[in-house]
Amino acid sequence: MNAQLIPDELREKARAFTQSPRELFIGGRWQPARSGKTFEVIDPARASVFAAAAAGDAADIDAAVLAARKAFEAPSWGMSTPAWRARLLLKLADLIEASGDELALLETLDNGMPYRMSRMMTAMGAAESLRYHAGWATKIGGETVSISVPGEWHAYTLREPVGVVGQIVPWNFPFVMAVSKIAPALAVGCTVVLKPAEQTPLSTIRLGELIAAAGFPDGVVNIVTGFGETAGRALVAHPGVDKIAFTGSTPVGKEILKACAGNLKRVTLELGGKSPVIIFPDAALGPATDVAARGIFMNTGQVCAAGSRLFVHERVFDQVVEGVVARARALKLGPGTEPTTDLGPVVSEEQLRRVTGYIDSGVAEGARVLTGGVAAPGPGYFVEPTVLVNTTAQMRVVREEIFGPVLCASSFADTDLDAIARLANDTEYGLAASIWTRDISVAHRLARRIKAGSVRINTPGSVDPALPLGGYKQSGWGREHGREGTEIYTEIKSVTVGLA
Ligand code: NAI
Ligand code: MG
């Protein structure tokens, strides 16, 4: 018998949180949208409204940017020591951990992901990201520079916070992404206007309460819930914002880039992917098959680095693909709140239509469905995990990011690594890739040939805050996480002192 996964008192907490419309967090004060508007928050497992949030728009964004500017210039934050900022981030990590169950339940109700996964993401993912970035607060800085101009000089660089940062977050891992965005910005002394996705605002709103409780000065983090076309666009266009950090779709990323030209904002973009998984015949096929299946079905395929194009050497193609199909069939679909659920719904009705539309287009172009291929019975937005074969490199299902549990599998006969790399690189995207072989020379040589920001060899890999994450080609600009992901929130200033 399964123990009840979610205790009643926890459900009661979530119910209390969602009882009245949630507000915007601006300048340390909770407030409704200036327009008075709210929008509905939907539980994708039940296709029902269970909460409401303020629909912020340009006027609210303006107020939030002003509050962020004021906080940036106030001595309490502007003159804050790195050690103090580190302590605040560590405090926030502890508060998140202490509220881990509640945050995870909000996330599961809002996004649909299995509770076990949201629990791991909030505690291990978000809290550890804060702790990692807290370390950078006291470690990042400028350096002395040796210059060759005749004379006697003291030259050095200063690393300064870039200023007011607008951060736009998607709905696939709402909480951990919001936290991973604010963490490096706050570590170096920026202030933030954070806009969660309209599909999944709740855990980010709860984050605002924890930020206040941790003791961050008012206005250091402002949270404006609302739609991309209104709140998001206004944030991107705002002349008072110094940098935009965005995670989401490639078309919106391109639009943001154009909008940022107005005041030449700094921009970093973490966009879509169509990541290859390459399995050689000498690979450990059990783990490779497990990871190939998990890589595309985890979070119902709503993962930017999901391995959505599977290339298997023809000698082991049938064996691997049959294994993936068997694993797909064994997955139990259901609400994320049920302890037996492996696969939750996709996030919205729109996403359900997108994903099934892609599957239909693949079939119309000649792909064959080995398993899945359709929506599963509702009322929630469920899609059966799907494996397609007989796909070609020209099909939309192979070229475009589906962001659902849909794998396109094909075989290769080549032993020439350049040819294999060409298959893997035959995409506009370049976010991640996964290689399975016991031949370490093949693995490393292929890793160099693949145009992707993350290459994983014989492992599912993981999103560790120490590892830079981001894309080649149309998968993005810049990197998040690691030293690079912290430095992107700074400006470099050269200072030269003539000593003679
Ligand atoms: P989206 O890119 O429209 O939304 C992501 C975030 O951007 C949300 O917070 C949204 O409110 C905001 N946004 C939307 N339009 C904006 C604009 N004009 N200006 C400023 N902000 C804006 O993604 P959407 O429509 O939710 O999903 C569509 C597809 O995008 C998915 O099927 C998937 O392929 C891709 N996607 C990729 C993600 C990734 O992690 N790389 C995350 C989410 C979506
Ligand atoms: Mg959109």
Side-chain angles (χ1 to χ4, degrees), residues 229 249 252 350:
E229 293 70 22
S249 63
V252 171
E350 182 189 356

Side-chain angles (χ1 to χ4, degrees), residues 301-334:
Q302 303 166 123
V303 179
C304 53
S308 48
R309 292 182 300 139
L310 176 64
F311 299 100
V312 188
H313 190 274
E314 59 181 9
R315 277 219 310 275
V316 293
F317 179 78
D318 288 346
Q319 183 186 344
V320 169
V321 171
E322 277 164 26
V324 172
V325 167
R327 284 161 179 77
R329 290 194 176 132
L331 292 171
K332 188 165 173 353
L333 272 61

